[in-house]
């Protein structure tokens, strides 16, 4: 089993650089429907394959399945890194939503709790109030690390105006065609790490494109797939990569990212080619044109 390295966050805690996501293909439209046993098996498979970083969310509708899978995996709770998120579009009572998530997960705490998006907010004050709720949950000890997801620079600036705790991470859609250069520079300045969801988009949803030939060449060089090159490109920039699959062979293949590193020149080459195209797969109606890079 591959040993996935950790990334240190600004709160002193560490997060595995490769995570298994329960969104997209694992999404469950009715969270109150009976437990999906097939989904439980898929998550157990991921855990037993070596994915101890599990990325869930309230809106994925499958926190109950994640909780059952954690129990059935037989892996001690303290070895797992569990993330969940509060709905970022529909206004929620933060404390009630968090306690509901814990109950569905069957856990006493989560390793990371995120605001899924800033789109619930009608003003910066709404974001600041929500972050104060997050800080209270952190103080309770039931969320070891707190952060955000899909936040733009202006959203982070609103938090930082009043925050007692700086967000540890911002989980964003990130791939060569959506690089968030300005946002990541701002986050680095304030010690806020990034986590990438849909890091394989350039291969799976936005192909053909200008990075294809580079991915192909590097995959041959390192004897891996283009998927591992895409994951490594994020990780080598100090960004956590969250991916998913229900295929055991593919999950094992992704773990090969722990066995090589891209050079600085290769990282830059992918970045340069990627800037020739823009592609966003999610949340398009919420972002402006200048939110691409």
């Amino acid at each position: 089993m591959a040993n996935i390295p950790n990334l240190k966050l600004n709160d002193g805690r560490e997060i595995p650089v490769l995570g298994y996501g329960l969104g997209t293909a694992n999404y469950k439209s009715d969270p109150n429907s009976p437990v999906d046993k097939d989904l439980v098996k898929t998550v157990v498979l991921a855990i037993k394959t070596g994915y101890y970083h599990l990325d869930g969310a309230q809106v994925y509708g499958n926190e109950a399945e994640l909780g059952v899978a954690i129990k059935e995996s037989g892996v001690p709770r303290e070895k797992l890194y569990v993330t969940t998120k509060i709905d970022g579009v529909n206004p929620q009572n933060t404390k009630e939503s968090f306690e509901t998530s814990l109950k569905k997960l069957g856990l006493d705490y989560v390793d990371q709790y995120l605001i899924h998006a800033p789109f619930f907010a009608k003003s910066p004050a709404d974001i600041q109030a929500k972050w104060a709720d997050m800080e209270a949950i952190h103080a309770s000890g039931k969320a070891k690390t707190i952060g955000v997801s899909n936040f733009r620079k202006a959203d982070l600036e609103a938090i930082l105006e009043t925050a007692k705790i700086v967000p540890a991470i911002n989980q964003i859609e990130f791939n060569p065609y959506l690089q968030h250069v300005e946002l990541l520079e701002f986050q680095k300045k304030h010690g806020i790490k990034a986590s990438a969801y849909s890091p394989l988009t350039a291969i799976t949803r936005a192909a053909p494109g200008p990075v294809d030939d580079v991915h192909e060449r590097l995959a041959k060089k390192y004897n891996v797939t283009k998927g591992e090159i895409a994951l490594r490109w994020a990780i080598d920039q100090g960004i956590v990569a969250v991916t998913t699959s229900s295929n055991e062979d593919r999950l094992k293949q992704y773990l090969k990212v722990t066995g090589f590193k891209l050079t600085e020149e290769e990282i830059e080459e992918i970045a340069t080619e990627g800037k020739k195209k823009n592609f966003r797969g999610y949340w398009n109606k919420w972002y402006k044109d200048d939110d691409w890079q």
Side-chain angles (χ1 to χ4, degrees):
M1 184 181 296
N3 183 24
I4 298 173
N6 293 332
L7 180 71
K8 181 169 281 191
L9 301 172
N10 61 17
D11 60 4
R13 295 185 176 274
E14 296 185 344
I15 181 172
V17 297
L18 184 63
Y20 182 81
L22 279 90
T24 56
N26 292 322
Y27 180 86
K28 187 179 173 187
S29 59
D30 181 5
N32 297 314
S33 63
V35 170
D36 184 334
K37 294 182 180 179
D38 289 336
L39 178 52
V40 170
K41 290 180 182 177
T42 296
V43 180
V44 170
L45 171 64
I47 295 172
K48 290 189 174 181
T49 303
Y51 292 82
Y52 285 4
H53 173 186
L54 306 167
D55 186 82
Q58 178 187 11
V59 299
Y60 297 163
N62 53 28
E63 288 174 313
E65 282 80 3
L66 174 55
V68 173
I70 288 170
K71 289 182 175 63
E72 292 189 1
S73 72
V75 175
R77 169 67 185 93
E78 62 271 16
K79 290 188 176 183
L80 299 175
Y81 191 98
V82 181
T83 295
T84 197
K85 314 175 191 75
I86 186 171
D87 187 334
V89 174
N90 303 297
Q92 304 276 314
N93 179 297
T94 314
K95 183 177 180 180
E96 290 179 3
S97 294
F98 178 70
E99 292 296 339
T100 298
S101 289
L102 277 186
K103 184 176 180 180
K104 288 184 176 181
L105 290 165
L107 300 177
D108 297 325
Y109 70 95
V110 293
D111 298 275
Q112 183 171 246
Y113 194 46
L114 307 180
I115 305 173
H116 207 147
F119 308 129
F120 68 91
K122 296 181 179 179
S123 69
D126 291 340
I127 292 177
Q128 291 164 353
K130 180 67 72 174
W131 187 250
D133 291 344
M134 298 289 285
E135 290 177 330
I137 289 171
H138 179 268
S140 75
K142 294 181 179 180
K144 305 302 182 183
T145 288
I146 53 175
V148 297
S149 180
N150 297 299
F151 271 48
R152 298 153 296 196
K153 179 172 175 282
D155 304 315
L156 291 173
E157 287 175 331
I159 284 181
L160 293 175
E161 284 183 11
T162 58
K164 296 178 182 177
I165 300 173
V166 175
I169 206 161
N170 184 17
Q171 186 179 108
I172 53 176
E173 183 179 354
F174 178 81
N175 67 77
Y177 302 142
L178 187 59
Q179 295 186 38
H180 298 289
V181 174
E182 182 180 353
L183 175 64
L184 291 178
E185 288 177 352
F186 177 83
Q187 289 186 201
K188 185 176 181 180
K189 178 181 177 181
H190 293 278
I192 303 169
K193 296 295 186 181
S195 175
Y197 67 84
S198 298
L200 305 183
T201 288
I203 297 165
T204 60
R205 300 187 65 186
V211 300
D212 292 354
D213 290 344
V214 185
H215 278 158
E216 186 72 38
R217 186 179 75 250
L218 294 178
K220 290 179 180 178
K221 174 183 175 180
Y222 292 105
N223 192 29
V224 295
T225 70
K226 291 183 289 184
E228 284 82 76
I229 296 298
L231 293 172
R232 194 71 233 184
W233 182 72
I235 292 169
D236 281 337
Q237 295 180 78
I239 296 172
V240 175
V242 177
T243 190
T244 191
S245 178
S246 59
N247 182 287
E248 182 176 7
D249 289 338
R250 189 169 294 122
L251 288 172
K252 289 180 178 178
Q253 183 72 34
Y254 289 158
L255 291 177
K256 286 190 175 183
V257 299
T258 62
F260 73 101
K261 289 185 178 182
L262 299 176
T263 67
E264 291 184 8
E265 291 76 15
E266 290 164 349
I267 294 168
E268 182 58 33
E269 183 180 10
I270 293 173
T272 299
E273 291 301 308
K275 290 173 184 176
K276 297 176 181 178
K277 177 176 179 175
N278 291 331
F279 184 92
R280 183 190 295 279
Y282 301 93
W283 306 97
N284 278 285
K285 74 174 185 176
W286 298 98
Y287 291 106
K288 298 178 296 184
D289 289 342
D290 59 0
D291 289 322
W292 286 111
Q293 298 294 343

